[in-house]
Amino acid sequence: MKFGISYNAAHFGTDPEQLVAFARQAEECGFESLYVPEHVVLYPGARVGPFELPPALPYLDPLDCLAFVAGATRRILLGTAVLLIPYHHPVPLAKRLATVDVLSGGRMRLLTVGVGALPGEARAVGVDFATRGRRADEAIDVLRLLWAGGEEGAGHQGEFYAFDDLCSFPKPLGGAGLPVHVGGSSRAAARRAGLRGDGWFPGGRLDARERAGQWDLARASAAEAGRDPGALEYTRWGALDMTEDDVETLAAQGVTRIVVSPASPDPEERREELAAFAGRFGLTS
């Protein structure tokens, strides 16, 4: 089992020293990866399910945040949970992601994308909320096309994006592009993971039956598309107080990575939480 940790500046603040200290602590404790979330904008009355989001929550730009963290760390992998891909044009996004990967030494490897749940956020960037799923599908295809393209240039004529003879360099390290994981809480997202994703990262508000059904759907969609369902990584949210039995239960369900979140707003208490978790699961080498 792999273990990641998330840092949400909307809850823990934007102090750069605290962010760097947290990332270094996570790396020292043996966590595989650090994840950050995204909201492009908020507005009064924005709601995700039953939860209203205070409009002044200070969400950092995830890729700028990860580039900053990369400069202060050496090993920990960099992830998003989730990057709202319909709200980014895939041509500059391909460049930004490759840049972070190159400058971090190949650590931008846990890009997890989602489609967003706030209609006002879509309107703010000129995206029809109803089309965001199709935009996400096409954007993933464009990213991979640009990463794979050579000096002869790559072309694409789609519903939302069109270009001819584009060359996007530098490439992500290794020459094979970047893995794209799919996050979400819908069956459409699970199908997207099977058809296009390298992994599935379901939302945390699903009940056990629906979550299991979506994982089965992701694997079935991969098989129907001629892809290897066994190659899909399966990431799940966990808790810092989870037990070995909890982890074994998730492993039996096919989970390959667990991402936990700090519970305390106090930096010192967060450090203690990370150290205790790492000690319990033997993460430190």
Side-chain angles (χ1 to χ4, degrees), residues 30 109 142 160-161 166-167 196 218 232 279:
R109 298 294 155 147
V142 169
F160 304 104
Y161 311 107
L166 294 189
C167 303
R196 284 179 167 82
L232 281 177

Side-chain angles (χ1 to χ4, degrees), residues 139-239:
I140 293 170
D141 293 344
V142 169
L143 289 177
R144 289 187 169 133
L145 179 69
L146 291 172
W147 289 331
E151 294 181 27
E152 72 283 358
H156 174 81
Q157 300 296 322
E159 182 180 2
F160 304 104
Y161 311 107
F163 51 84
D164 296 305
D165 303 328
L166 294 189
C167 303
S168 185
F169 289 85
K171 304 298 184 185
L173 291 186
L178 297 177
V180 180
H181 296 235
V182 175
S185 298
S186 69
R187 291 188 166 249
R191 283 191 293 271
R192 181 172 300 112
L195 294 174
R196 284 179 167 82
D198 296 288
W200 171 231
F201 192 166
R205 292 190 298 275
L206 299 170
D207 62 39
R209 182 174 181 178
E210 178 62 18
R211 189 179 290 112
Q214 290 187 11
W215 174 232
D216 289 343
L217 176 59
R219 290 172 55 83
S221 298
E224 290 169 6
R227 308 178 74 214
D228 179 9
L232 281 177
E233 293 193 56
Y234 186 16
T235 303
R236 285 270 295 273
W237 291 106

Side-chain angles (χ1 to χ4, degrees), residues 81-92:
V82 294
L83 182 86
L84 302 176
I85 195 169
Y87 307 155
H88 295 268
H89 195 292
V91 173

Side-chain angles (χ1 to χ4, degrees), residues 8-79:
N8 190 340
H11 300 303
F12 301 132
T14 58
D15 183 285
E17 293 185 1
Q18 285 195 29
L19 173 59
V20 165
F22 180 88
R24 286 174 171 165
Q25 175 76 10
E27 186 170 74
E28 292 168 2
C29 284
F31 284 89
E32 175 226 26
S33 45
L34 174 72
Y35 284 78
V36 294
E38 176 176 46
H39 275 293
V40 179
V41 290
L42 295 176
Y43 49 91
R47 303 182 71 88
V48 176
F51 303 103
E52 184 167 336
L53 300 176
L57 289 176
Y59 281 91
L60 295 170
D61 178 274
L63 300 188
D64 290 341
C65 180
L66 291 174
F68 179 75
V69 165
T73 55
R74 292 293 177 267
R75 179 196 56 79
I76 200 164
L77 299 183
L78 309 172

